[in-house]
Amino acid sequence: MRSKKIICAALTGVLALSAVMSGCGGTTTVVTQSGASSGDVSTASETKSGNVPEDGNFSAEYKSSEDKYRTFYEIFPYAFYDSNGDGIGDIKGITSKLDYLNDGDPSTTDDLGIEGIWLMPIMPSPSYHKYNISDYMDIDKSYGTLDDFKEFLEECHKRDIHVIIDLVLNHTSRTHQWFKNAKKEVKEGKLDGYAEYYHIAKDVTKTGWRGLGFDGWMYEAQFDSDMPDLNLKNEKVREEIEKIVKYWIDMGVDGFRLDAVKFFEETGTADSVEDLKWLYDYAKSVKDDVYMVGECWDSTSMIADFYKSGVDSYFNFADQGGTGRIKSAVVGQNASAYVSQVESWLDTIEENNPNAIDAPFISNHDTGRSAGFFTTNTARKLAAATYLLSPGNSFIYYGEEIAMTGTETDPDKRMGMYWSASDKTGYVPSIPGASNTSLPEQAVDEAQKDKDSLLNFYKRAIRLKSQNPEIARGDIKAVTFDEDKANNVTKATAGYVSTYNGKSVMVIYNTYEKGVTLKIPESTFKVKQVNGYLLCDSGDGLMYTPQAVDNPLLDIGGEDESSQGSDESSPTEVTLDGQTLTMPAYSVVVLGTE
């Protein structure tokens, strides 16, 4: 189990009263521990591609994951890339863009470096979003064919990318043959066949029940009339679902994202957890290393309860959004609260499932896009560094890495991936029901060429996590620094030590607008070298108010102009002298030990 003790390191180092550095440039050096075998000054290793500035003191190369820990990328197939010009993204389109996500060569920096893909629903469905399935064993024809999908899986696996697909089991579509049969049989007076696949009864007055259209018969459909709820306790339904799970795993799928798990049973969490335990146990009997992540959009206490099912991960909804933990840590400059919450949360979920893998994210297809509440590139980079370097499997929503926007309606959150401002090949210009017309400042092709772009920052952050396997997998001990209470560094600068397989790293976040020098006690962490770092400052600040530090849970807006500008005394380098670390404003450092 993870230790719950927070190490409060009362340090005597000097706080450098610096201002915001002017960018995430490529000239920074790292002074390593005196006497280290690499010499006194270490510069970043050269890479085979010039797309990523080598300012992080780490090379491009990393070892591909051989377990369930991966950085995932969520894709809405409709919006990603249109391969045939019909206005709808498709499986072939995603396959054609795999080199953007991971080109299969860990030594290059042309790709993001992700090692997992989550595809939103790909099965036949009457809706654009496809969360009401009409056939669980096929591909929606607008997305392509089963052969297209098999080719996609093959190309992913060549690149060591694992693929999970959305499995929507709370409900089907009314167009599913099961429901058609159920309606027909009920009308004929037969209630022990397909009618038992759903919740069907007469003259129900509860919320979420809809009429079948005859004799007072009704069916439960909590989300929508076109989404009749399945009876997951029914043995015949479970047999059908087991066939579906085996079908996709046998095809090569590596796991599943489980939609709306808290709604599986209206009778309570315990019954839904039992459904999930059955499902996960069966999937593991087919594929021992199957990976599952569930969506339980509720309180942390309810999410924690769902870990009792044995399912590997549940999305960490406390992290995401305009009032979430990542926002509080970054814009509220409260890294201390964040690392303490991370340690406590990991303790909690591992009590319910010793093999639990946290799943942090900052936005997805159901939430406002993160570029809407992280409104500056500095904040976006620092937010990315915070959650991408957090324990567990981080989930990136497509387009997040180029600051795509989209709020209000679901279609507006699922706009076409912006590949190029000049070449519209593959671009999906219209999503049914969408009104959002805003585009990010940079398309992918332009961002690739800009060494300081958000996209290239994501590449560095993802690689840094991949190169330090302890970050995702280790046992965590939070570390806070009582450095300079007058300047709120106690809250703004913090980190954690993560230990895995006998090796430890220390991740330190400086969310402060000024640089800081920290003396790290050897009893906390014996520093050997800087494994890598991320400089997040783009010169535009975090857009915060002074009250944010005192109340980090505020939904913060506005800008404190006193934090802007420049100060030539500000440290623009990450330096390490023995146990003394100097960090610029808005930066994250990963330290290694002996």
Side-chain angles (χ1 to χ4, degrees), residues 360-375:
F361 70 107
I362 53 177
S363 66
N364 67 18
H365 63 280
D366 284 326
T367 70
R369 280 190 171 272
S370 58
F373 49 85
F374 293 115
T375 56

Side-chain angles (χ1 to χ4, degrees), residues 291-580:
Y291 176 68
M292 287 188 179
V293 55
E295 179 208 26
C296 177
W297 194 344
D298 210 289
S299 66
T300 54
S301 61
M302 179 176 284
I303 296 172
D305 281 342
F306 270 88
Y307 272 98
K308 295 174 183 176
S309 65
V311 169
D312 303 288
S313 300
Y314 290 90
F315 291 111
N316 191 336
F317 277 91
D319 279 355
Q320 63 84 34
T323 58
R325 290 173 179 171
I326 303 295
K327 175 76 177 289
S328 297
V330 172
V331 184
Q333 293 187 302
N334 201 335
S336 177
Y338 177 70
V339 297
S340 298
Q341 289 161 348
V342 167
E343 182 185 25
S344 177
W345 176 240
L346 293 176
D347 279 343
T348 298
I349 63 177
E350 287 186 0
E351 287 176 0
N352 291 336
N353 179 359
N355 299 313
I357 301 172
D358 193 21
F361 70 107
I362 53 177
S363 66
N364 67 18
H365 63 280
D366 284 326
T367 70
R369 280 190 171 272
S370 58
F373 49 85
F374 293 115
T375 56
T376 68
N377 277 330
T378 296
R380 290 164 186 162
K381 289 178 178 179
L382 191 53
T386 301
Y387 95 93
L388 290 174
L389 293 182
S390 291
N393 291 345
S394 303
F395 279 77
I396 301 167
Y397 186 36
Y398 81 95
E400 177 188 307
E401 72 277 17
I402 56 170
M404 283 180 58
T405 59
T407 57
E408 304 302 330
T409 66
D410 284 344
D412 283 348
K413 302 163 188 170
R414 305 169 189 177
M415 300 298 290
M417 181 68 173
Y418 192 42
W419 296 104
S420 174
S422 57
D423 182 359
K424 299 302 182 184
T425 304
Y427 177 61
V428 179
S430 178
I431 305 297
S435 59
N436 179 34
T437 57
S438 60
L439 294 170
E441 293 180 5
Q442 286 185 319
V444 169
D445 58 357
E446 183 182 1
Q448 291 274 31
K449 300 172 185 176
D450 178 3
K451 67 182 180 66
D452 292 333
S453 69
L454 184 62
L455 170 59
N456 279 323
F457 183 88
Y458 267 71
K459 294 179 184 180
R460 293 194 292 277
I462 294 167
R463 278 168 173 76
L464 185 55
K465 186 172 188 178
S466 296
Q467 291 166 353
N468 292 272
E470 300 82 7
I471 294 175
R473 300 162 177 82
D475 291 325
I476 304 301
K477 292 183 179 180
V479 180
T480 58
F481 301 103
D482 191 10
E483 179 68 24
D484 191 327
K485 292 182 179 179
N487 289 285
N488 293 304
V489 179
T490 301
K491 293 181 178 181
T493 305
Y496 62 85
V497 175
S498 184
T499 303
Y500 172 71
N501 278 353
K503 294 184 63 178
S504 297
V505 296
M506 186 175 189
V507 180
I508 304 177
Y509 302 100
N510 181 22
T511 63
Y512 200 42
E513 70 270 20
K514 304 174 194 286
V516 61
T517 297
L518 307 168
K519 185 168 178 58
I520 301 168
E522 290 190 14
S523 59
T524 298
F525 190 82
K526 181 68 170 67
V527 183
K528 180 180 180 182
Q529 75 268 329
V530 173
N531 286 359
Y533 58 88
L534 298 167
L535 306 180
C536 308
D537 187 12
S538 293
D540 51 4
L542 296 179
M543 298 290 285
Y544 73 94
T545 60
Q547 296 94 325
V549 173
D550 296 326
N551 188 359
L553 297 180
L554 287 174
D555 188 11
I556 301 154
E559 180 175 358
D560 178 9
E561 295 182 359
S562 66
S563 70
Q564 309 302 307
S566 63
D567 183 341
E568 293 183 358
S569 67
S570 172
T572 57
E573 300 177 352
V574 173
T575 63
L576 178 65
D577 183 6
Q579 292 289 124
T580 301

Side-chain angles (χ1 to χ4, degrees), residues 51-122:
N51 283 347
V52 178
E54 298 123 9
D55 66 349
N57 198 46
F58 57 96
S59 66
E61 194 157 1
Y62 60 92
K63 182 180 179 181
S64 296
S65 174
E66 296 178 350
D67 57 20
K68 295 185 181 185
Y69 287 86
R70 293 165 182 267
T71 299
F72 278 84
Y73 190 88
E74 178 191 359
I75 295 176
F76 178 37
Y78 193 113
F80 200 63
Y81 193 89
D82 173 14
S83 71
N84 58 10
D86 66 355
I88 299 174
D90 45 53
I91 301 298
K92 281 189 173 181
I94 301 172
T95 304
S96 73
K97 286 297 183 180
L98 284 179
D99 281 352
Y100 166 73
L101 300 173
N102 189 326
D103 63 9
D105 184 351
S107 67
T108 65
T109 58
D110 299 295
D111 59 305
L112 269 174
I114 65 96
E115 295 185 281
I117 290 175
W118 156 26
L119 292 182
M120 289 172 62
I122 56 175

